[in-house]
């Protein structure tokens, strides 16, 4: 198991380009199962979770051609559907949260889809009901084996039928899965309370380029007119908004001058404004973000009535929960106080004990809320030994270590590698003192 050794307190400078979006890539890669024709995808991030999914697709019989750095061509013309019933698949599919999204395409095209209980970050209960209720609405027959936590859906003899449905939650992966099943169903499907994140929009645009008929893209009401088949296409994945937010936080915490290249500003939503509320200066330069060195720190903006700033997550276009860990770390050195309210996952704030060990002033109110009392850089965080519990907490601890006094050690860095491509190399390129051992 690898570790990072980080010498903190070093100011960084230079340009950094975000990788392709992990959460979009998970959806897009599953969508290639919907057609026997070739699909070329570029800007695919080279990270553990994505590589696991590509391996799973290969084991399913998908032909995979690597065209170069971050570019692949897939062809699912000889899918081995029987692989889904093997012990090897149960182990492989259970190690990756994103594997759940192969079920919709397989159900639509081959009439059956199975998945073991998916893995992923341990950030609290992550229900799958929305996925399977959507499939059932389309006419699928559902079964669940409690002994080995194995889920299955199969189409009736007449095939999937379009339906009107109101999702019980605006689940991104749930919406993606249902959309991928509905594009090949007979008739018209309407999905209300659909997720509308940019990555879900990207999936819908890709499916439309393959011949699907989806309207309402970007809203929470999607209408899908089923088609008999889909063709191939070429698709480029957006830059990862979570990584972009991570680099903004890194620049502020280390008082560094950094330019984040090619960020696709129009798809960042409220992210820039949330960081501005923390007092961080961001400049838009074309499609880049320029962050000057915050030599005098950054001051939190209070609400209009003077009450403490509250930053909470919400479904898009609200603030993404994946960046709340970053915001919490950045707030530890702000001038002013911030209430962090993590509504969507009950265990995501439990890494704050490690920040407290480093000298941060944080009061964990309950599993969902933490009050951060900013140091205003008057008291530097102290280096320590810590372990990464999940992807986003891991990058947050890494940012804390880069700003801390002394040399920190981060264990279990495979969690960080699951979501961030060659992060140590890219950080060293802008001056960070980080070593992988």
């Amino acid at each position: 198991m690898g570790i990072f050794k980080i010498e903190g307190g070093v100011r960084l400078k230079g340009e950094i380009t975000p990788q392709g979006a992990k959460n979009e890539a998970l959806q897009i890669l599953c969508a290639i199962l919907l057609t026997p024709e070739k699909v070329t995808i570029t800007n695919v991030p080279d990270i553990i979770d994505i590589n696991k999914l590509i391996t799973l697709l290969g084991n399913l019989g998908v032909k995979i051609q690597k065209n170069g750095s971050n570019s692949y061509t897939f062809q699912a013309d000889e899918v081995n559907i029987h692989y889904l019933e093997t012990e090897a698949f149960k182990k492989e599919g259970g190690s990756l949260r994103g594997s759940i999204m192969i079920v919709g395409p397989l159900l639509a095209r081959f009439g059956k889809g199975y998945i073991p209980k998916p893995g992923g970050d341990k950030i609290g209960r992550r229900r799958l009901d929305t996925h399977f209720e959507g499939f059932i609405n389309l006419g699928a027959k559902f079964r669940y084996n409690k002994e080995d936590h194995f889920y299955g859906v199969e189409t009736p003899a007449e095939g999937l039928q379009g339906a009107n449905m109101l999702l019980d939650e605006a689940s991104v992966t749930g919406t993606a899965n249902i959309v991928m099943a509905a594009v090949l169903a007979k008739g018209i499907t309407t999905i209300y309370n659909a997720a509308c994140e940019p990555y879900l929009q990207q999936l819908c645009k890709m499916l439309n380029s393959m011949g699907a008929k989806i309207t309402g893209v970007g809203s929470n009401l999607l209408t899908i007119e089923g088609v008999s088949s889909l063709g191939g296409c070429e698709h480029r994945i957006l830059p990862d908004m979570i990584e972009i937010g991570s680099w903004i936080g890194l620049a502020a915490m280390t008082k560094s001058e950094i330019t984040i290249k090619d960020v696709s500003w129009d798809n960042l939503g409220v992210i820039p404004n949330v960081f501005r509320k923390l007092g961080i200066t961001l400049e838009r330069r074309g499609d880049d973000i320029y962050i000057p060195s915050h030599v005098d720190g950054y001051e939190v903006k209070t609400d209009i009535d003077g009450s403490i700033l509250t930053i909470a997550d919400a479904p898009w276009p609200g603030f993404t929960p994946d960046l709340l860990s970053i915001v919490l770390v950045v707030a530890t050195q702000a001038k002013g106080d911030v209430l962090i309210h993590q509504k969507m996952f009950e265990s995501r704030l439990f890494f704050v004990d490690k920040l407290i060990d480093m000298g941060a002033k944080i009061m964990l109110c309950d599993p969902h809320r933490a009050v951060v009392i900013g140091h205003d850089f008057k008291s530097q965080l102290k280096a320590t030994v810590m372990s990464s519990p999940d992807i986003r907490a891991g990058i947050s601890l890494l940012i804390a270590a880069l700003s801390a006094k002394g040399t920190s050690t981060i264990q279990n860095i495979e969690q960080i590698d699951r979501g961030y491509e060659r992060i140590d190399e890219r950080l060293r390129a802008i001056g960070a003192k980080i070593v992988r051992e």
Side-chain angles (χ1 to χ4, degrees):
M1 189 172 290
I3 64 171
F4 282 143
K5 285 287 183 71
I6 300 144
E7 184 181 331
V10 178
R11 291 191 184 179
L12 315 177
K13 187 170 183 177
E15 297 179 349
I16 193 161
T17 302
Q19 67 189 32
K22 168 183 177 279
N23 291 339
E24 178 186 344
L26 291 171
Q27 300 175 34
I28 296 300
L29 289 173
C30 293
I32 64 101
L33 291 167
L34 286 164
T35 177
E37 297 185 16
K38 290 183 177 181
V39 176
T40 298
I41 305 174
T42 57
N43 205 28
V44 179
D46 183 11
I47 55 178
I48 288 177
D49 277 10
I50 297 304
N51 294 335
K52 276 187 177 181
L53 181 55
I54 291 173
T55 299
L56 189 155
L57 291 172
N59 290 338
L60 265 171
V62 176
K63 298 169 184 172
I64 303 169
Q65 175 185 324
K66 188 166 185 179
N67 306 317
S69 178
N70 308 104
S71 175
Y72 291 85
T73 296
F74 301 89
Q75 187 168 16
D77 59 342
E78 295 181 356
V79 172
N80 176 17
I81 199 71
H82 300 295
Y83 179 69
L84 299 175
E85 301 177 42
T86 66
E87 289 301 316
F89 171 71
K90 290 180 181 180
K91 182 178 180 180
E92 189 177 21
S95 69
L96 175 67
R97 176 76 186 175
S99 62
I100 182 64
M101 286 182 289
I102 69 170
V103 177
L106 291 173
L107 178 67
R109 187 166 161 223
F110 300 100
K112 60 178 67 176
Y114 307 116
I115 198 73
K117 186 176 181 180
D121 289 328
K122 306 304 180 186
I123 54 177
R125 190 170 71 100
R126 304 174 76 179
R127 61 199 293 273
L128 299 175
D129 300 52
T130 303
H131 299 251
F132 291 103
E133 286 172 3
F135 299 146
I136 292 168
N137 283 332
L138 294 171
K141 298 176 181 178
F142 171 73
R143 63 183 176 88
Y144 174 55
N145 186 330
K146 290 185 178 181
E147 292 182 5
D148 55 7
H149 298 291
F150 200 58
Y151 301 84
V153 280
E154 297 182 4
T155 60
E158 63 272 18
L160 297 179
Q161 304 291 325
N164 299 324
M165 60 185 85
L166 172 62
L167 303 189
D168 60 348
E169 64 173 339
S171 164
V172 178
T173 54
T175 302
N177 229 346
I178 296 165
V179 166
M180 288 189 281
V183 291
L184 295 181
K186 298 173 184 176
I188 294 176
T189 299
T190 58
I191 307 173
Y192 195 40
N193 195 30
C196 53
E197 271 78 356
Y199 305 145
L200 196 283
Q201 296 177 39
Q202 285 282 98
L203 172 67
C204 291
K205 290 173 184 176
M206 172 183 166
L207 293 173
N208 281 343
S209 74
M210 295 167 70
K213 296 180 179 179
I214 307 171
T215 57
V217 178
S219 75
N220 66 351
L221 176 60
L222 296 175
T223 302
I224 304 161
E225 182 181 343
V227 297
S228 59
S229 64
L230 296 176
C233 72
E234 295 183 3
H235 179 82
R236 181 172 178 80
I237 292 171
L238 287 174
D240 196 311
M241 69 170 76
I242 313 305
E243 195 176 90
I244 292 165
S246 303
W247 303 145
I248 294 171
L250 170 67
M253 281 285 283
T254 57
K255 297 185 176 181
S256 301
E257 182 183 357
I258 293 176
T259 298
I260 310 172
K261 302 291 291 182
D262 303 323
V263 300
S264 188
W265 263 93
D266 294 339
N267 289 295
L268 293 180
V270 301
I271 291 172
N273 284 339
V274 169
F275 283 102
R276 286 180 177 127
K277 287 181 180 180
L278 291 171
I280 298 170
T281 300
L282 307 174
E283 294 181 21
R284 180 170 185 170
R285 295 185 174 179
D287 208 27
D288 303 341
I289 295 176
Y290 170 73
I291 304 137
S293 176
H294 288 70
V295 291
D296 297 321
Y298 42 94
E299 184 173 357
V300 175
K301 297 177 181 177
T302 60
D303 288 343
I304 292 174
D305 62 0
S307 58
I308 185 173
L309 174 68
T310 298
I311 297 178
D313 59 340
W316 191 270
F319 190 63
T320 173
D322 284 348
L323 279 176
L324 272 188
S325 300
I326 308 293
V327 166
L328 188 148
V329 168
V330 173
T332 64
Q333 288 294 2
K335 182 180 181 180
D337 307 329
V338 182
L339 172 62
I340 304 295
H341 191 171
Q342 168 62 267
K343 299 176 183 177
M344 298 171 71
F345 302 103
E346 64 256 21
S347 303
R348 213 164 203 171
L349 297 181
F350 287 169
F351 76 102
V352 301
D353 60 331
K354 301 170 181 66
L355 296 175
I356 293 169
D357 288 344
M358 298 177 78
K361 295 179 180 178
I362 304 170
M363 292 183 291
L364 189 61
C365 309
D366 55 43
H368 294 277
R369 295 177 301 160
V371 174
V372 185
I373 302 167
H375 284 171
D376 191 22
F377 290 101
K378 290 184 173 64
S379 175
Q380 193 173 3
L381 296 180
K382 303 184 297 291
T384 189
V385 176
M386 46 196 158
S387 180
S388 172
D390 64 70
I391 299 175
R392 308 311 174 187
I395 191 66
S396 302
L397 295 173
L398 177 55
I399 291 171
L402 286 164
S403 74
K405 184 178 181 180
T407 301
S408 294
T409 299
I410 300 182
Q411 302 166 343
N412 197 27
I413 60 172
E414 287 77 10
Q415 287 287 356
I416 301 173
D417 289 335
R418 286 178 50 217
Y420 291 82
E421 180 178 328
R422 297 179 295 101
I423 190 166
D424 50 326
E425 296 176 34
R426 295 159 73 203
L427 288 173
R428 281 195 295 271
I430 57 173
K433 294 185 178 180
I434 175 173
V435 177
R436 181 189 294 264
E437 296 183 354

